[in-house]
């Protein structure tokens, strides 16, 4: 989640003005989903319909108890296919607000490791756009390791990548058949 600012919101409101006068029009755009919390910490997700400097209009209306100086968060992401071209990756990243221009190249696939992406952020956003880490673009690698499986038969043999842990156990997903 990316911190947008804070606001006081009453039940039935369909807008807020960022409490610190922050220009949220540099962060939010129509169609973004934002998270609002009431004074008891209950969350409600709403969709931004308009942004004008520090004022954000959203729907549906806020249905919870009054929220005083509640933090407002947004999650901005793109989902890109593992087989996407470098042009598709570039287009997806540049569609995110605040990213600017990027150059992207891709190597692979390698039999054991899939694709390797090289991304260079070419725009200088400056500290005003990125003064808090949560406002900045971050990336991470979900795949930790892979295992080559053979002898189980068609549809099961291939390279499996570790993507996460569930109840302390590694979870593997078939990358492609061998």
């Amino acid at each position: 989640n990316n911190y947008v600012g804070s606001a006081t919101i009453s039940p039935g409101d369909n807008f807020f003005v960022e409490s610190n006068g922050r220009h949220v029009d540099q962060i939010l755009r129509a169609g973004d989903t934002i998270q609002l919390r009431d004074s008891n910490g209950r969350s409600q997700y709403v969709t931004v319909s308009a942004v004008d400097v520090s004022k954000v209009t959203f729907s549906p209306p806020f249905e919870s108890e009054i929220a005083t100086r509640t933090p407002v968060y947004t999650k901005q992401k793109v989902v890109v296919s593992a087989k996407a071209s470098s042009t598709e990756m570039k287009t997806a990243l540049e569609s995110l607000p605040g990213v600017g221009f990027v150059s992207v190249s891709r190597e692979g696939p390698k039999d054991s490791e899939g694709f390797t992406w090289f991304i260079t952020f070419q725009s200088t956003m400056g500290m005003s756009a990125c003064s808090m880490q949560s406002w900045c673009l971050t990336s991470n690698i979900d795949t930790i390791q892979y295992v080559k499986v053979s002898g189980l038969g068609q549809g099961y043999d291939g390279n499996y990548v570790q993507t996460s842990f569930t109840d302390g156990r590694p979870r593997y997903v078939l990358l492609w058949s061998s």
Side-chain angles (χ1 to χ4, degrees):
N1 289 331
N2 295 311
Y3 177 75
V4 173
S6 62
T8 298
I9 308 169
S10 297
D13 283 355
N14 70 339
F15 75 93
F16 68 84
V17 177
E18 201 284 324
S19 299
N20 302 310
R22 185 160 183 242
H23 290 212
V24 295
D25 58 345
Q26 299 172 2
I27 302 168
L28 293 175
R29 61 182 172 190
D32 284 347
T33 300
I34 56 176
Q35 177 188 28
L36 307 173
R37 289 192 179 150
D38 67 14
S39 298
N40 294 319
R42 288 185 295 253
S43 294
Q44 179 181 342
Y45 292 89
V46 298
T47 303
V48 174
S49 37
V51 182
D52 184 18
V53 187
S54 294
K55 181 180 178 181
V56 177
T57 306
F58 57 84
S59 65
F62 189 64
E63 297 174 353
S64 214
E65 298 177 21
I66 192 165
T68 305
R69 294 189 63 81
T70 183
V72 178
Y73 296 95
T74 184
K75 183 168 263 186
Q76 299 168 344
K77 64 180 178 179
V78 290
V79 177
V80 182
S81 167
K83 297 178 183 178
S85 69
S86 55
T87 302
E88 291 170 317
M89 177 69 81
K90 175 182 173 60
T91 301
L93 289 172
E94 289 179 349
S95 74
L96 293 169
V99 170
F101 298 102
V102 298
S103 65
V104 178
S105 63
R106 182 186 82 174
E107 290 181 2
K110 297 177 184 172
D111 286 341
S112 60
E113 298 173 351
F115 294 106
T116 301
W117 298 92
F118 299 94
I119 302 169
T120 303
F121 295 88
Q122 297 176 317
S123 301
T124 304
M125 300 307 294
M127 285 306 292
S128 62
C130 200
S131 59
M132 291 186 67
Q133 184 176 356
S134 63
W135 300 343
C136 303
L137 177 72
T138 58
S139 63
N140 61 0
I141 298 171
D142 290 331
T143 301
I144 299 167
Q145 65 181 13
Y146 72 94
V147 174
K148 185 169 187 153
V149 175
S150 60
L152 294 177
Q154 189 172 3
Y156 298 101
D157 290 350
N159 295 318
Y160 286 77
V161 292
Q162 182 181 343
T163 58
S164 62
F165 285 90
T166 303
D167 296 325
R169 294 184 219 150
R171 178 186 164 136
Y172 291 88
V173 175
L174 179 62
L175 183 60
W176 68 79
S177 296
S178 48

